[in-house]
Amino acid sequence: MTGLDPDDWDELRGLGHRMLDDMFDHLAGLRDGPVWRRLPDDFRAGLRDQPLPTAPTAPQALYERFRDQVAPYATGNTHPGFMGWVHGGGTAIGMLAEMLAGGLNANCGGRDHAPVEIERAVIGWAAKIMGFPADSSGLLVTGSSMANLIAVITASRATPDGASLRQQGVGGRRLVGYAAETAHGCVARAFDLAGLGTDSLRIIPADPAHRMDIAALDAAIAADRRAGFVPFIVIGTAGTVDTGAIDDLDAIAAIAARDGLWFHVDGAFGALAMLSDRLRPQLRGLSRADSLAFDFHKWAQVPYDAGCILVREPGRQAAAFAQSLAYLSRADRGLAANAPWFCDLGPDLSRGFRALKVWMTLGTYGTDRLGRMVESCCAAARHLADRVDAEPMLERLAPVALNIVCFRVRTGDADLDRLNGELVKDLHESGIAAPSTTMVGGMLAIRAAIVNHRTTPRDTDRMIDALLGFADTRLADVRPTDTDPPGKNQ
């Protein structure tokens, strides 16, 4: 037998039902377990160094290994105590959508089939959420890193002589762009991968609120023009990675319009605050952008991966990426119909059915409920900030714009950075909570990002209680006692 279908469909069906039941139990009982646990060394070695499987292994045996050695040692971002990096928590309906998409195994690079129409619907929904025109183009990608790269390439091709870049390369055109020092590292990487070079990205200082300094942006553009450079793009951030700050998008849009620059917004997680009537005013100016990158797998809680790029003007993406190849010729009917294809809007020809999990998530919960969920995350962050402000041992290091709280333990210890770093590791290994760290104002900060729909103020209080307990224990080890000789531990 050369095919790969099972000999016994009922046996595989039984295993599939068991897998599904186990995963439902896992999601339903998240709060009862630790956020994260370290992968044991023997499991790590066994997973990493396993030999190539030249002979068959029973699916049941592989599943047992997954259940025992993989599932308990995952990232932990589904858990309500995960407050570190900006990861969405996922949902059960998203998990089911992944299963359905896997069963269809559709290639959404193009052609005439229903999964392509689902993605078109999702792009239309995204445009409506973000205040973009209904005929905006866009596609789903791995995440905002890819979306930002597509935006930079599209913007460079939209310059007056941009069409020749596809054949002749960047050469000596001296194109330059602008982003704040608080921008995500993937923006500089986009300039690198696009062939522009990271030196072509001008880093604009931030103001005390961690937002792009608009006067400095204005001055940098003018200086570059005088020096013979060609400014072509300015990138604002909706939700900076460190503190969650939102650049003054409206002011940036006005400068871009005045100077003829492409206005792009990296809204990886913050753009989805547009779902909330209460939070939307903080994003004023976002809907003026020429392009927008954001992730459904963050605040929309879609399973990884599900990034999105939107481009306001139809045809700009295709001008940057479309190819005319005989083996990809379009027809007026049949499976090769239904142009334009999504492969014309980005670098990928082979594309999975990402849209189904977005479509089912938005459809199941509705944008109103998702907007309230975003607000509840921000409310939990506000509660955490209030708790930090009320604790004498703690110090908040940045304003809370949306859902990220940056703070630290402050004591007489001379090496506060080391102390706070060790406390974060203590929290991780305890399984109680998983914040991350960053640098704010030259100081190492404990960074709590409330993105998981399961996280409540009770979870943030639990983290703070544990943190204070660990701090007391560590500080007790260095405090002098009554029996210590003078000068000890001073």
Side-chain angles (χ1 to χ4, degrees):
M1 181 177 180
T2 58
L4 299 178
D5 284 334
D7 295 329
D8 187 338
W9 280 101
D10 288 338
E11 182 180 28
L12 186 61
R13 188 190 307 274
L15 177 63
H17 284 302
R18 180 185 168 201
M19 290 175 174
L20 196 58
D21 286 341
D22 285 351
M23 196 53 68
F24 277 134
D25 289 342
H26 166 75
L27 293 176
L30 283 170
R31 192 175 288 279
D32 299 329
V35 179
W36 174 85
R37 51 166 69 95
R38 185 181 180 276
L39 180 65
D41 291 340
D42 56 339
F43 284 4
R44 187 186 307 276
L47 292 172
R48 182 178 54 205
D49 302 328
Q50 55 190 306
L52 178 69
T54 57
T57 301
Q60 292 86 347
L62 294 172
Y63 175 61
E64 293 295 341
R65 195 168 188 193
F66 165 84
R67 192 185 66 176
D68 296 340
Q69 299 184 17
V70 178
Y73 306 102
T75 311
N77 53 297
T78 55
H79 194 286
F82 188 96
M83 304 174 210
W85 302 266
V86 183
H87 294 4
T91 66
I93 197 69
M95 176 188 73
L96 294 175
E98 286 275 67
M99 179 188 68
L100 296 176
L104 286 184
N105 193 32
N107 183 341
C108 293
R111 302 175 183 85
D112 192 8
H113 54 111
V116 168
E117 302 306 329
I118 292 291
E119 185 160 353
R120 286 176 175 156
V122 165
I123 295 302
W125 290 351
K128 188 171 183 62
I129 291 169
M130 301 302 170
F132 271 51
D135 62 351
S136 298
S137 69
L139 76 165
L140 299 178
V141 293
T142 52
S144 284
S145 292
M146 178 59 74
N148 283 313
L149 173 60
I150 290 172
V152 168
I153 292 174
T154 302
S156 70
R157 272 51 169 178
T159 56
D161 62 345
S164 63
L165 291 178
R166 298 191 65 180
Q167 291 76 37
Q168 300 170 13
V170 175
R173 284 176 170 82
R174 308 190 80 190
L175 294 172
V176 292
Y178 308 86
E181 61 183 340
T182 50
H184 194 280
C186 71
V187 172
R189 181 179 291 181
F191 273 68
D192 174 9
L193 296 177
L196 297 162
T198 55
D199 287 350
S200 295
L201 178 63
R202 306 302 199 231
I203 303 302
I204 306 301
D207 64 18
H210 304 274
R211 310 195 312 170
M212 182 187 289
D213 185 320
I214 300 301
L217 170 66
D218 210 8
I221 294 171
D224 277 332
R225 288 202 191 279
R226 288 194 300 269
F229 291 98
V230 182
F232 80 102
I233 187 172
V234 56
I235 299 168
T237 301
T240 59
V241 66
D242 285 326
T243 68
I246 303 169
D247 286 338
D248 187 341
L249 303 177
D250 213 31
I252 297 172
I255 290 175
R258 182 198 68 194
D259 291 353
L261 276 63
W262 184 281
F263 175 36
H264 173 66
V265 174
D266 176 13
F269 78 89
L272 280 166
M274 291 289 282
L275 290 165
S276 161
D277 291 340
R278 185 171 64 80
L279 298 172
R280 192 178 301 120
Q282 295 187 55
L283 297 166
R284 191 164 63 93
L286 180 144
S287 60
R288 299 174 63 184
D290 294 294
S291 56
L292 169 67
F294 71 97
D295 293 322
F296 282 111
H297 58 229
K298 291 189 170 77
W299 245 341
Q301 313 297 331
V302 173
Y304 279 87
D305 50 35
C308 184
I309 174 70
L310 290 177
V311 177
R312 170 179 299 277
E313 186 177 341
R316 289 297 190 186
Q317 273 182 277
F321 292 100
Q323 291 179 298
S324 297
L325 301 168
Y327 54 85
L328 293 177
S329 61
R330 278 61 158 171
D332 60 346
R333 59 190 181 90
L335 187 55
N338 203 25
W341 293 356
F342 280 113
C343 64
D344 292 332
L345 306 181
D348 294 326
L349 176 58
S350 298
R351 303 179 65 254
F353 192 8
R354 289 189 184 96
L356 186 63
K357 56 192 175 184
V358 182
W359 182 74
M360 289 194 71
T361 300
L362 296 184
T364 296
Y365 301 107
T367 56
D368 289 347
R369 183 174 175 185
L370 290 173
R372 292 193 297 272
M373 176 270 299
V374 168
E375 291 174 3
S376 72
C377 288
C378 294
R382 186 68 257 169
H383 175 87
L384 172 58
D386 291 343
R387 176 76 190 275
V388 167
D389 292 344
E391 293 287 348
M393 191 181 286
L394 302 180
E395 175 186 17
R396 186 154 54 88
L397 299 179
V400 179
L402 288 171
N403 63 323
I404 296 178
V405 184
C406 291
F407 63 101
R408 67 172 180 167
V409 171
R410 59 177 179 185
T411 70
D413 191 289
D415 192 353
L416 288 180
D417 284 0
R418 183 179 183 280
L419 172 64
N420 281 276
E422 292 301 314
L423 289 171
V424 167
K425 296 174 195 174
D426 291 340
L427 283 171
H428 290 179
E429 292 181 346
S430 74
I432 293 171
S436 61
T437 62
T438 191
M439 298 299 294
V440 177
M443 296 176 285
L444 187 137
I446 300 171
R447 174 180 173 275
I450 315 300
V451 188
N452 191 331
H453 61 95
R454 303 179 179 97
T455 303
T456 68
R458 179 178 65 169
D459 299 299
T460 63
D461 281 340
R462 191 164 179 249
M463 176 183 68
I464 293 297
D465 291 342
L467 176 70
L468 294 175
F470 289 133
D472 280 340
T473 299
R474 284 190 171 273
L475 294 171
D477 292 339
V478 299
R479 291 187 186 114
T481 67
D482 292 339
T483 58
D484 286 334
K488 183 178 181 182
N489 292 326
Q490 297 296 314

